[in-house]
Amino acid sequence: MAGHENGPSGFWVKCTALIVEAKRNWRLLLGAVIAGGVIWAAVEASDRQGRFDIPSGYAVRMTCESDPESSLWNGGCERVAADIARTDKPGFLELYRAFVTAHHRYIPSPATRSRFSGIPCDQGFDLDAALRGTRYVFVPLRVHFAEACTVAEVQAIMAEIDERDRALLTIERAGLTHSALYAGALANLTEPVVIFAAAAILAALIIL
């Protein structure tokens, strides 16, 4: 009897039982496959983001380093000086918030766009003059000011760039660690678009 159960016929009986069980629970299996794929994609994206963020954080440090001509561009460095000086390793929650800020927020933010929408431009406003002597004059940062035409809006965008750069400095301090990898993955998974898509897939599996 034992030989029969472990022989070729017993093997096919077990396979048939597994197939029947899979058909019965296909929704659960499909959901698990999709969830696994989404988590894998979030981790992969986090790895790419972290590898990009480390040199970006270092670039913030370099911009604000002392230099014979640094007065031409380091205005505003005092805003992130405390973060540049930090040497402690950030915790998981701090890293999570940093990844959210660095990769899941727009500059200018929708709130800033809405706040200044319809407000008349400052008379004689000159963006070059507003950014001159500051670190925001460099092309990668300057693009965020493309539609700004008031001093108040420029200041609001500068504050958002500061917040993003503090996040980059946090990620840079963490380095390519598992903590940073998982924090970035969680930030990707909690993106509203991902949550909405997950809810839609869950609803479809329940309805089908």
Side-chain angles (χ1 to χ4, degrees):
M1 186 71 175
H4 176 73
E5 288 179 353
N6 294 323
S9 59
F11 171 78
W12 288 113
V13 169
K14 290 179 180 178
C15 286
T16 302
L18 286 174
I19 292 171
V20 171
E21 191 67 20
K23 286 182 178 179
R24 184 181 306 143
N25 298 293
W26 69 269
R27 292 180 180 85
L28 183 61
L29 290 173
L30 180 58
V33 170
I34 293 174
V38 170
I39 292 172
W40 176 83
V43 172
E44 283 292 305
S46 175
D47 182 58
R48 292 194 303 271
Q49 290 164 347
R51 293 180 187 277
F52 177 80
D53 292 341
I54 289 175
S56 295
Y58 183 65
V60 175
R61 293 180 184 276
M62 287 186 62
T63 300
C64 294
E65 286 180 348
S66 297
D67 183 274
E69 296 182 339
S70 60
S71 60
L72 298 176
W73 64 72
N74 69 357
C77 282
E78 70 281 356
R79 303 180 185 213
V80 294
D83 295 88
I84 291 175
R86 288 180 63 179
T87 58
D88 59 302
K89 288 294 183 180
F92 184 84
L93 183 57
E94 186 178 3
L95 279 168
Y96 167 74
R97 290 171 176 166
F99 272 98
V100 170
T101 299
H103 297 285
H104 301 287
R105 291 182 184 172
Y106 295 100
I107 300 175
S109 65
T112 296
R113 289 181 183 275
S114 175
R115 175 184 167 193
F116 292 99
S117 177
I119 293 180
C121 294
D122 289 346
Q123 187 173 5
F125 177 80
D126 184 346
L127 182 60
D128 290 332
L131 300 181
R132 188 175 298 123
T134 71
R135 66 193 192 91
Y136 314 99
V137 74
F138 293 111
V139 172
L141 300 182
R142 186 186 177 93
V143 295
H144 298 301
F145 301 91
E147 299 179 8
C149 64
T150 68
V151 173
E153 186 173 5
V154 166
Q155 290 293 332
I157 295 172
M158 285 180 176
E160 291 180 350
I161 292 174
D162 293 339
E163 186 176 1
R164 193 270 312 277
D165 286 351
R166 291 188 189 100
L168 292 174
L169 289 165
T170 296
I171 297 169
E172 185 220 2
R173 289 204 320 277
L176 297 176
T177 60
H178 285 96
S179 182
L181 180 68
Y182 299 146
L186 181 60
N188 292 331
L189 289 171
T190 53
E191 171 73 10
V193 173
V194 175
I195 294 175
F196 177 79
I201 292 172
L202 178 62
L205 290 174
I206 293 174
I207 293 172
L208 290 176

